[in-house]
Amino acid sequence: MERTLAIIKPDAVERNLTGEILRRIEEEGLKIVALKMVRISKREAEGFYDVHRERPFFDSLTDYMSSGPIVVAVLQGEGAIERWRNLMGATDPAKANPDTIRGTFGLSIEKNSVHGSDSPQSAAYEIPYFFSHLELVNP
């Protein structure tokens, strides 16, 4: 069983889309094995997105991710990373399939409603950034 991190970003939380996004995750057959709402600081966002530190969008991204509450979850299932990424859709909502979360709810490349780990290595870094082993349920 594979695990991945999912984040419902500030734009989606603010627009009350959390329940609908979680419904879609469960409908896809992914198990939610950890879930919480948090508000991260700019510094915490910078730590999480450290891999993008040299990119031109780093400051804007970390400002945005610390601008309001987010919902973080750990999803589990066969091929969880790929399945969650397919459900999210392309990073740019204008290029995402309309049936995906980003295609349906995304406002822009930055405010695209959700984040997901892109590899087993990033999931191994991202999951413990938000969750201790005690918070992960083994279904």
Side-chain angles (χ1 to χ4, degrees):
M1 284 291 154
E2 188 173 61
R3 287 182 171 174
T4 188
L5 184 78
I7 300 177
I8 302 174
K9 293 182 176 183
D11 69 278
V13 173
E14 181 180 345
R15 292 182 290 145
N16 296 316
L17 298 173
T18 302
E20 175 60 21
I21 292 169
L22 293 175
R23 183 192 67 76
R24 288 182 181 209
I25 288 168
E26 289 184 323
E27 194 172 77
E28 170 60 28
L30 293 166
K31 297 283 184 201
I32 299 169
V33 297
L35 178 71
K36 62 183 165 183
M37 180 180 281
V38 296
R39 175 125 190 210
I40 59 175
S41 68
K42 167 87 169 165
R43 187 171 184 196
E44 290 164 334
E46 288 171 347
F48 182 76
Y49 286 107
D50 190 60
V51 67
H52 298 303
R53 188 168 296 277
E54 301 305 318
R55 298 261 177 94
F57 58 81
F58 180 75
D59 281 333
S60 176
L61 174 62
T62 55
D63 283 342
Y64 164 62
M65 289 301 290
S66 60
S67 69
I70 59 174
V71 173
V72 290
V74 178
L75 312 180
Q76 181 174 298
E78 292 293 329
I81 293 170
E82 182 178 357
R83 288 168 62 197
W84 173 229
R85 294 196 66 78
N86 288 338
L87 186 59
M88 288 191 305
T91 303
D92 183 349
K95 297 177 181 173
N97 180 311
D99 295 337
T100 64
I101 292 169
R102 290 174 172 161
T104 303
F105 303 122
L107 302 173
S108 67
I109 289 176
E110 188 172 83
K111 295 180 179 180
N112 60 11
S113 301
V114 289
H115 165 89
S117 305
D118 62 6
S119 67
Q121 295 78 18
S122 65
Y125 172 78
E126 294 178 348
I127 291 169
Y129 199 86
F130 289 102
F131 295 97
S132 76
H133 72 281
L134 295 174
E135 295 174 296
L136 300 170
V137 176
N138 289 311

